[in-house]
Amino acid sequence: MPAMSTDYAIRTALPEDREELGDLIDAAFVQDGFRCRARLPHLFTAERIGEHRVASADGRLVGCVGCYSVELRVDGMAFTAAGIGQVVTAPAQRGSGVMRQLMEATCAHAEDFDLLWLHGDHQRYARFGFAPGGLTWEMDTAHRYLPAAPGSTRQATSAADWRLVAAAARRQRVHLEVADQDFAEIMRARDCSAWLGDGAVAMSYQGAHRIVLCDGEPEALAGLFADILADIQRGDPARQTLNVRLDPADARTPALLRCFQHDVRGLPSGSFRVGSARTLAAKLTALAHAAGDIERAQLISRAFDVAYGDDYARAQRVFGLSPGWAGWASPTQACLLPLSLPPGSWV
């Protein structure tokens, strides 16, 4: 039976919380074999420990939420963003309101950012203003759609290799500004692999079956995919396809989908929550104008005017949302569609 709701002491984590906080998070992911403190040590330094909010009871930590500040760039425009992660409640306190109080405390500071995002159950986080956003094309490809494997691909192993992968990540239309050393550390922490071929780079997340970043011209990428799939099949002969995630706004995506796909699906790339609404609206409008999409710029302006004005009845008609959600979810759904979460956003 869930515990009764309790008011917990909510505060920013301190350097002296490092060991206890790490134990709390690691215990929550023990079944996955993921040890956050060992895999992502940069999140527990004295400089970044304060990016966690913690709940305490009787002098011990019983929950936490990470709110990690990053710079997100979209077509050259810088967004101040926060990635929400490590949402953890101690087993004995589950059902007693720990997560709700931590998320409410975190979202109370949403205005410090242009937007917040997370990967997680939409139903679980919708009450805090998060709504599905972004768009990712996910395609499966197979040998019959690919050229003969050129055999020239090598796996990234050295620091120099990972610098090349980091440079490829920064060339993406949507990317995080992350130092090379931090990028390599995050990739290792998440069991990422990367491959370098003739004029192409690809990276996978937690196993080779799903490519989450690719950079290069379509023909070069097709050769790289053929090599990766051949390598996978040497260890798993039954595996017939390679899964690739693509940015729909990347100019190379149509050629990849047209020539090399076996099956394709459009998926939301995450859940977003608006932070500073006016700042976000101004930046999104500027992006639309820069792309020559005047109609979209006008749509963004109207969406924010409706959602953040006083006419909640009109907002409900326009977006099909309850008035209580109008200030949060509607502009997310209307305006964040061009944003895709880049590799590395899981920090």
Side-chain angles (χ1 to χ4, degrees):
M1 178 180 294
M4 294 180 63
S5 182
T6 303
D7 288 331
Y8 293 95
I10 307 296
R11 60 175 175 82
T12 299
L14 302 171
E16 51 265 35
D17 295 319
R18 182 180 183 276
E19 293 301 319
E20 187 179 2
L21 178 60
D23 290 342
L24 176 70
I25 296 173
D26 286 348
F29 297 108
V30 66
Q31 290 185 336
D32 300 328
F34 180 72
R35 296 186 62 80
C36 184
R37 185 172 33 177
R39 294 287 191 91
L40 299 172
H42 63 292
L43 298 182
F44 295 88
T45 61
E47 294 76 21
R48 297 198 65 179
I49 193 79
E51 295 184 11
H52 301 84
R53 281 188 176 82
V54 295
S56 62
D58 299 325
R60 60 189 181 87
L61 301 186
V62 296
C64 78
V65 169
C67 183
Y68 308 117
S69 178
V70 294
E71 181 180 310
L72 176 68
R73 287 193 171 266
V74 182
D75 291 330
M77 177 74 72
F79 291 81
T80 303
I84 304 299
Q86 325 309 337
V87 182
V88 169
T89 300
Q93 277 70 36
R94 288 174 186 165
S96 65
V98 174
M99 187 196 84
R100 174 182 58 78
Q101 292 174 48
L102 283 166
M103 287 297 297
E104 286 175 351
T106 298
C107 290
H109 295 272
E111 289 283 330
D112 295 343
F113 305 95
D114 295 331
L115 59 99
L116 293 78
W117 79 64
L118 55 80
H119 293 286
D121 182 351
H122 168 55
Q123 295 296 325
R124 185 183 188 195
Y125 293 100
R127 57 182 164 144
F128 304 111
F130 288 86
L135 182 64
T136 298
W137 288 122
E138 183 177 87
M139 79 171 189
D140 292 326
T141 189
H143 275 307
R144 65 180 179 275
Y145 298 103
L146 296 170
S152 57
T153 296
R154 60 185 174 85
Q155 199 158 356
T157 55
S158 67
D161 288 341
W162 280 106
R163 283 195 293 272
L164 293 174
V165 179
R170 284 192 289 270
R171 286 193 294 270
Q172 303 299 298
R173 187 186 68 89
V174 181
H175 68 271
L176 297 177
E177 285 294 316
V178 180
D180 286 352
Q181 183 175 351
D182 287 345
F183 181 87
E185 189 171 86
I186 294 166
M187 298 305 100
R188 284 194 297 269
R190 286 298 186 177
D191 294 331
C192 290
S193 300
W195 293 265
L196 298 96
D198 293 332
V201 176
M203 188 181 76
S204 71
Y205 168 46
Q206 287 187 333
H209 297 163
R210 173 169 293 162
I211 301 299
V212 296
L213 178 151
C214 53
D215 184 67
E217 293 305 311
E219 293 294 336
L221 284 169
L224 187 67
F225 295 160
D227 270 344
I228 295 171
L229 185 54
D231 186 52
I232 291 171
Q233 289 180 325
R234 279 190 282 272
D236 182 6
R239 186 77 187 188
Q240 297 298 313
T241 61
L242 180 69
N243 183 269
V244 183
R245 290 194 168 182
L246 301 165
D247 178 355
D250 190 308
R252 297 164 295 189
T253 294
L256 284 167
L257 294 177
R258 183 172 61 251
C259 300
F260 306 115
Q261 63 93 11
H262 164 65
D263 185 30
V264 64
R265 300 165 293 280
L267 304 170
S269 64
S271 290
F272 294 82
R273 185 197 193 281
V274 171
S276 175
R278 291 300 174 190
T279 303
L280 180 60
K283 291 180 178 180
L284 290 171
T285 303
L287 279 176
H289 276 295
D293 193 344
I294 306 304
E295 182 178 355
R296 181 168 191 81
Q298 293 172 341
L299 168 65
I300 292 168
S301 180
R302 287 198 303 271
F304 275 84
D305 284 344
V306 169
Y308 285 89
D310 296 326
D311 192 354
Y312 288 123
R314 184 178 172 217
Q316 186 175 8
R317 291 196 301 274
V318 171
F319 297 108
L321 298 168
S322 65
W325 281 35
W328 287 347
S330 49
T332 305
Q333 293 173 326
C335 305
L336 294 185
L337 194 60
L339 299 185
S340 301
L341 293 185
S345 61
W346 43 76
V347 299

